[in-house]
Amino acid sequence: MTKPGTFVVHATDGNARRGTLSTAHGDIQTPIFMPVGTQGTVKSLSPQDLEEMNAQIILGNTYHLYLRPGDELVARRGGLHKFSNWNRPILTDSGGFQVFSLKGIRKLSEEGVEFRSYIDGSKHFFSPEKAIEIQMNLGSDIMMVLDECVGYGADRGYTEKSLEMTTRWAKRCRERYPAGSGDQLMFGIVQGGFFKDLRTRSAEQLCSLPFEGFAIGGLSVGESIPEMYEQVHHTAPLLPAEKPRYLMGVGTPLDLLEAVSAGVDMLDCVLPSRNARNGTLFTSQGKINIKKAAYKEDDSPLDPNCNCYTCRNFSKAYLRHLYMSKELLSYRLNTYHNLYFYLDLMQQVRDSIENGTFAQLKARYEDAYAA
Ligand SMILES: NCc1cc(CSc2ccccc2)c2nc(N)[nH]c(=O)c2c1
Ligand SMILES: [Zn+2]
């Protein structure tokens, strides 16, 4: 088995990279989309479903798993892989973002973040060290440092102070689990809001630390698409070319393609599974909403170019009926298709970088998804 943390770039096409990241639970082919499995499960799908659609890695959530069922309970069951019977790589977020994005009282200090549980209102505290200890208990292959994701519209002064603290927290996280002390990897997270010089400073400070990879945080927080793209194109090239680059919480199919064109290797987003819940489905011809009356007697598959279980076995008419009837199967079949679409898109991206046709692939989807 290749040493966990090894990242090899096999081919490039412009700034897009085709790579392989080795982890203790197997290799990850990049660029890659990572389904979000907040509570140790990608909602409505089984590990078998995910393996069938070639999901190489899934995301878990420190905040949620710490509160329920508890990271120590999971550790006593052999860690999150054994507990959830997912034997491929897992990446976990540090929990800071969830504390800030979920409602409820929380207090931020140099020491860490105090918050109340969304389950029973009990008080809790995450220091950078605690956030890493939880991820060590979960046994995730890639741990994220504790960071502050400042909200959209934060002023320069606040953003500057926040990124300095995020860097100090990153150092504490790395010291809690030093590089090479085990098979778990650790990624730093670049912040700096929408100030290019602060993004540059955050990247410089973090990249001097021995992380196995680097994430771009603090985007997709309410800004316009052009603003997000501008910060991605500014920040990605600042990160070490020989390490994986992860853009957190982004985005639509076009966002994935734009980020890859900027040199990003890894992405995650709740969109495919969240949209499945409201009937918004991604297809090779653009987005469709299955609840539209037009599909009431449409016997055609969701996407004639999709080879997934949903598209091979059910008509739009039936999928619309399930959605209108609020059947559980609706959520499952819609999620299956949306995630399959995202994963298949990234397989096409990997192939296109290998044969130098990434720009053409990107243009094709931009036409299909134009407004
Ligand atoms: N708005 C995008 C976003 C999303 C996430 C969550 S990504 C995620 C979610 C669930 C499981 C694993 C990773 C973030 N996480 C951190 N730590 N910092 C950010 O700036 C940030 C920004
Ligand atoms: Zn499909």
Side-chain angles (χ1 to χ4, degrees):
M1 177 180 80
T2 314
K3 180 170 174 287
T6 306
F7 181 62
V8 178
V9 176
H10 308 291
T12 57
D13 186 350
N15 292 325
R17 299 124 55 90
R18 169 74 180 84
T20 302
L21 172 62
S22 297
T23 79
H25 284 85
D27 289 352
I28 298 168
Q29 302 305 325
T30 65
I32 186 161
F33 177 77
M34 306 181 284
V36 180
T38 299
Q39 309 204 78
T41 158
V42 176
K43 295 189 184 341
S44 81
L45 298 184
S46 68
Q48 185 180 343
D49 295 326
L50 291 164
E51 284 175 13
E52 259 171 28
M53 63 174 81
N54 193 26
Q56 300 177 70
I57 176 172
I58 61 170
L59 273 47
N61 217 306
T62 295
Y63 172 77
H64 294 84
L65 292 164
Y66 159 80
L67 289 174
R68 183 174 54 194
D71 56 297
E72 285 165 8
L73 178 147
V74 173
R76 289 193 296 273
R77 315 245 96 66
L80 192 52
H81 290 88
K82 269 206 177 55
F83 187 52
S84 63
N85 196 23
W86 171 257
N87 303 306
R88 294 183 179 182
I90 295 176
L91 178 151
T92 46
D93 199 6
S94 50
F97 179 76
Q98 289 73 26
V99 167
F100 285 94
S101 50
L102 295 170
K103 304 282 161 283
I105 309 156
R106 69 260 161 175
K107 244 170 30 200
L108 183 65
S109 72
E110 182 65 35
E111 259 320 287
V113 55
E114 185 185 290
F115 61 96
R116 285 193 183 279
S117 161
Y118 72 100
I119 298 168
D120 61 11
S122 53
K123 206 183 265 190
H124 299 267
F125 185 79
F126 276 0
S127 65
E129 294 79 9
K130 177 69 176 169
I132 294 301
E133 284 156 14
I134 295 168
Q135 296 176 82
M136 289 164 70
N137 278 337
L138 297 176
S140 51
D141 297 285
I142 302 173
M143 304 186 282
M144 302 307 294
V145 299
L146 185 69
D147 61 324
E148 186 191 5
C149 171
V150 294
Y152 182 58
D155 69 30
R156 184 186 168 81
Y158 185 87
T159 305
E160 188 167 15
K161 280 200 173 34
S162 170
L163 88 85
E164 298 293 349
M165 186 180 68
T166 285
T167 300
R168 291 193 294 274
W169 281 4
K171 279 194 186 107
R172 288 170 55 183
C173 288
R174 185 76 276 186
E175 282 155 14
R176 181 63 189 81
Y177 186 90
S181 55
D183 281 346
Q184 294 177 269
L185 311 180
M186 193 184 297
F187 282 17
I189 304 177
V190 172
Q191 292 291 346
F194 296 86
F195 304 95
K196 285 184 179 172
D197 63 319
L198 297 185
R199 286 257 162 206
T200 302
R201 190 191 310 172
S202 177
E204 282 169 354
Q205 290 175 355
L206 283 173
C207 294
S208 68
L209 300 171
F211 290 114
E212 287 83 13
F214 294 89
I216 302 173
L219 296 180
S220 185
V221 289
E223 75 278 11
S224 70
I225 295 296
E227 279 179 297
M228 193 241 289
Y229 287 6
E230 195 178 338
Q231 293 304 329
V232 172
H233 280 279
H234 171 72
T235 310
L238 301 176
L239 303 177
E242 74 285 358
K243 299 263 175 85
R245 299 160 176 161
Y246 165 26
L247 175 56
M248 304 186 90
V250 174
T252 67
L254 293 190
D255 294 343
L256 269 60
L257 294 167
E258 189 68 30
V260 168
S261 78
V264 169
D265 307 296
M266 301 162 72
L267 298 109
D268 85 274
C269 192
V270 293
L271 209 56
S273 25
R274 186 173 292 172
N275 276 7
R277 221 182 356 254
N278 64 40
T280 304
L281 303 175
F282 296 99
T283 77
S284 52
Q285 312 306 315
K287 263 191 319 194
I288 71 167
N289 199 306
I290 198 62
K291 58 188 169 217
K292 280 207 168 114
Y295 302 125
K296 209 169 179 178
E297 301 208 34
D298 185 334
D299 298 325
S300 68
L302 188 54
D303 184 346
N305 302 320
C306 179
N307 197 26
C308 86
Y309 173 71
T310 301
C311 293
R312 282 186 285 107
N313 290 285
F314 306 101
S315 68
K316 289 194 186 77
Y318 181 66
L319 292 172
R320 182 178 183 280
H321 160 64
L322 292 179
Y323 181 84
M324 303 310 279
S325 321
K326 295 189 176 22
E327 278 293 338
L328 283 176
L329 185 61
S330 168
Y331 186 50
R332 177 167 158 71
L333 293 178
N334 290 357
T335 302
Y336 194 104
H337 166 78
N338 271 358
L339 276 182
Y340 184 103
F341 176 83
Y342 265 64
L343 294 169
D344 183 58
L345 171 63
M346 295 310 268
Q347 179 62 61
Q348 292 175 58
V349 165
R350 292 192 291 270
D351 296 344
S352 73
I353 296 169
E354 284 173 11
N355 51 48
T357 59
F358 173 68
Q360 291 88 314
L361 178 78
K362 183 167 181 280
R364 184 150 54 81
Y365 276 94
E366 281 165 346
D367 291 347
Y369 277 78

